[in-house]
Structure formats: structure tokens, C-alpha cells
């Protein structure tokens, strides 16, 4: 089954080259994919013209100012709305946004994700297809700190608050995919669309919704949230959180995925190099 890309665009005038870098990568690995593009307000007026130059399978939408979250969240939200209205289903759903579209200090991180995540589409999708219980694939994680007061909050369905229900009978995994770039398999997306109504699509989301809330959809639905790197930016071993989630929810079928990390480095996301040289 084909894949699709949900591509959240926020590009200020003068940084249109960032869009071209991502589109160049899509030409290499997503030539056959449908690409749903949400463009946030205050972005460069040149984006649509640039997108059309590439002749990819693109569907472009503009975020209403009233729903603008001042982050990728509003663009992802609009992409999901367009996806639902299309009636199409895909094998995998790639969430990618224009990292560094408004600043230069994320240039290194943008290039790292293009090289280490986007360009590895075939490898990552093979992993997902050969491990059907895996509901998502992310690169870098961060632990959920029970002592911290977060800005994130749920909209319509309980992902963050961890309320157990018939539809979402498992607890969340207590770690995030940071940087809001990851891939979900088809079953969690089907679950999401079965639970939300127009209310979700017409509510202004918290700016961190797709980093701190939405990925919990996977673990709350009982699918395994695969993480490629073992340690968080704080040096915390995330194996503990994954193992605890499996035990808490009696999901022993995922034990074989424990300690199945591909990398084991620590990193600093606040100033370059964001990821240590041993990547």
C-alpha cells in the first residue's frame, strides 16, 4: 500500500530554500506518495509556486489565521482534515515539517533529519511492515516528567490525560518523539479518525500538540511506539519507560522489541551540534 506525507510548512520570506531542500528529498523517496501540504499564515507567498515546480503528487491547503498555533501543529491539523476528506487510506503516514523555516539555528537539525530519517523511507517502511505491531517510528525521544507542569493538553479525545476507556484501553508510553518528525502506520491513524469529530479539526491546538500529545495515540491504542535512539536529550535511558509501558499494559508480545535500538548516543537540542558526532 502506498504511503503519504503530511507536510507542515512554515517558511518566512528569504528562507524558501528550506522548502526546496525538503522537496528535493521527496523527489528522491516520495515520488509516488501523495503529499498533503498545510501552509501556515505568515509564510512566504512564493511557496505554492515552488511546490508546483516539482510536479509531485501534492495537495496544498492554507491554514486559517484563527486556527494558527504558531507552530507546525495547525498545518498538521489541516493536513489531517484534508486526508480524512479525501477518503484515502495509506500504508504509512509520514509527518514532516519545515524545520528551520523561520530560523537558522535549526539548520543542522533540518539536514540531520533529511539525511537520517526522510531519506531512509524504504528501510523504515520495511521495518514497519515486518513488525506489524509497531505503530510508529521516531528518531529522538524525551521522557515524560511527572514533576513538570506542561502546556500540552487534550482536544476531544484523551491521549495526554491517560483516561482509560473502551476506545483507548492502554496507558501512554511516557516519552515523546521530539522535533515533531515521525512516521505512523495505518492502524493508529484509522483509530484516530474513528474517534474525532469536526470539533477537533475546528479547535485551535496547543503549539506542542503534535510533539507531546498526538504520538501518544500509538501507545494508547496498544501499538508499539518504536524509538531509534535509546537515550533522551537529558541522558535518560528510555528503555525503562518502554519496558514499564509493556508491563503496565500486559503487552508482552512486544518484549522482543525491547533493547532493539539502532543508536545509543546522547545529544543536546539547544545548541549545535544537536546530535553528537557518533551518528
Amino acid at each position: 500500500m502506498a504511503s503519504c506525507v503530511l507536510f507542515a510548512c512554515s517558511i518566512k520570506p528569504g528562507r524558501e530554500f528550506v522548502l526546496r531542500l525538503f522537496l528535493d528529498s521527496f523527489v528522491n523517496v516520495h515520488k509516488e506518495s501523495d503529499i498533503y501540504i498545510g501552509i501556515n499564515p505568515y509564510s512566504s507567498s512564493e511557496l505554492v509556486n515552488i511546490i508546483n515546480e516539482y510536479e509531485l503528487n501534492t495537495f496544498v491547503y492554507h491554514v486559517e489565521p484563527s486556527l494558527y498555533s504558531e507552530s507546525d501543529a495547525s498545518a498538521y491539523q489541516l493536513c489531517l482534515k484534508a486526508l480524512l476528506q479525501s477518503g484515502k487510506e495509506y500504508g504509512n503516514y509520514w509527518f514532516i515539517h519545515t524545520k528551520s523555516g523561520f530560523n537558522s539555528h535549526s539548520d543542522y537539525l533540518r539536514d540531520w533529519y533529511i539525511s537520517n530519517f526522510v531519506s531512509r523511507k524504504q528501510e523504515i517502511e520495511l521495518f514497519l511492515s515486518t513488525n506489524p505491531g509497531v505503530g510508529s517510528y521516531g528518531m529522538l525521544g524525551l521522557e515524560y516528567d511527572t514533576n513538570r507542569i506542561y502546556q500540552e493538553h487534550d482536544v476531544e479525545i484523551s491521549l495526554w490525560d491517560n483516561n482509560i476507556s473502551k476506545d483507548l484501553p492502554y496507558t501512554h508510553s511516557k516519552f515523546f518523539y521530539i522535533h515533531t518528525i515521525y512516521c505512523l502506520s495505518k492502524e493508529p491513524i484509522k483509530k484516530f479518525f474513528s474517534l474525532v469529530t469536526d470539533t477537533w479539526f475546528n479547535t485551535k491546538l496547543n503549539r506542542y500538540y503534535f510533539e507531546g500529545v498526538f504520538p501518544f495515540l500509538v501507545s494508547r491504542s496498544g501499538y508499539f511506539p518504536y524509538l531509534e535512539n535509546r537515550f533522551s536529550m537529558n541522558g535518560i535511558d528510555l528503555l525503562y519507560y518502554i519496558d514499564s509501558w509493556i508491563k503496565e499494559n500486559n503487552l508482552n508480545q512486544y518484549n522482543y522489541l525491547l533493547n532493539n535500538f539502532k543508536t545509543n548516543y546522547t545529544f543536546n537540542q539547544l545548541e549545535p551540534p544537536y546530535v553528537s558526532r557518533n551518528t
Side-chain angles (χ1 to χ4, degrees):
M1 185 178 288
S3 299
C4 77
V5 177
L6 294 94
F7 188 36
C9 289
S10 298
I11 303 281
K12 72 177 183 179
R15 291 192 66 82
E16 291 86 357
F17 73 92
V18 173
L19 175 61
R20 292 188 181 277
L21 289 172
F22 280 97
L23 293 176
D24 286 341
S25 72
F26 294 166
V27 168
N28 292 331
V29 295
H30 280 290
K31 186 72 173 177
E32 306 303 320
S33 302
D34 286 342
I35 303 172
Y36 296 84
I37 303 177
I39 298 178
N40 270 326
Y42 312 112
S43 292
S44 167
S45 61
E46 296 300 313
L47 300 193
V48 173
N49 289 336
I50 294 171
I51 291 166
N52 290 338
E53 288 177 21
Y54 281 77
E55 298 184 346
L56 292 161
N57 302 325
T58 55
F59 306 89
V60 180
Y61 308 89
H62 293 267
V63 173
E64 292 291 337
S66 61
L67 293 176
Y68 179 44
S69 62
E70 299 183 10
S71 77
D72 52 77
S74 45
Y76 277 142
Q77 179 185 38
L78 183 56
C79 289
L80 282 170
K81 181 178 182 179
L83 174 62
L84 177 61
Q85 292 176 340
S86 76
K88 295 182 179 180
E89 291 188 1
Y90 301 89
N92 295 292
Y93 299 79
W94 291 77
F95 288 75
I96 301 170
H97 73 98
T98 50
K99 199 73 178 173
S100 80
F102 264 77
N103 58 66
S104 59
H105 67 257
S106 293
D107 286 352
Y108 179 92
L109 194 56
R110 174 203 67 223
D111 294 342
W112 187 85
Y113 270 99
I114 289 175
S115 297
N116 292 277
F117 182 69
V118 179
S119 66
R120 292 171 54 220
K121 173 181 181 290
Q122 184 175 1
E123 174 191 344
I124 290 170
E125 291 191 345
L126 178 61
F127 179 87
L128 290 170
S129 66
T130 54
N131 296 278
V134 175
S136 59
Y137 194 111
M139 300 295 288
L140 303 174
L142 179 66
E143 68 279 1
Y144 174 84
D145 185 350
T146 56
N147 295 316
R148 177 180 170 183
I149 298 175
Y150 288 91
Q151 298 179 37
E152 289 89 333
H153 56 81
D154 286 316
V155 173
E156 191 170 19
I157 59 174
S158 174
L159 301 176
W160 179 267
D161 289 343
N162 240 355
N163 296 325
I164 301 301
S165 66
K166 179 184 68 174
D167 293 317
L168 297 168
Y170 304 96
T171 60
H172 65 57
S173 53
K174 296 185 176 65
F175 75 85
F176 317 110
Y177 292 141
I178 62 172
H179 305 136
T180 331
I181 296 177
Y182 43 76
C183 181
L184 266 63
S185 60
K186 63 180 179 180
E187 296 304 330
I189 294 293
K190 288 171 64 176
K191 169 65 74 173
F192 174 75
F193 283 150
S194 74
L195 297 177
V196 296
T197 67
D198 287 346
T199 297
W200 188 89
F201 295 104
N202 294 321
T203 300
K204 183 177 178 178
L205 300 177
N206 174 272
R207 64 175 291 121
Y208 300 113
Y209 186 90
F210 279 88
E211 185 170 44
V213 181
F214 187 78
F216 282 158
L217 168 70
V218 175
S219 51
R220 295 281 279 116
S221 302
Y223 295 97
F224 189 85
Y226 179 75
L227 180 66
E228 184 162 299
N229 187 62
R230 178 169 178 164
F231 294 97
S232 78
M233 58 179 264
N234 297 321
I236 300 297
D237 188 346
L238 296 174
L239 175 61
Y240 166 78
Y241 293 87
I242 299 170
D243 184 43
S244 297
W245 174 75
I246 288 175
K247 290 176 178 176
E248 182 178 5
N249 294 283
N250 195 30
L251 292 168
N252 296 319
Q253 67 268 32
Y254 298 137
N255 281 334
Y256 81 100
L257 289 164
L258 283 172
N259 208 16
N260 193 25
F261 304 100
K262 296 183 185 298
T263 53
N264 293 282
Y265 50 78
T266 56
F267 60 97
N268 184 345
Q269 73 160 350
L270 300 180
E271 56 187 51
Y274 297 93
V275 182
S276 60
R277 294 177 183 174
N278 61 339
T279 61

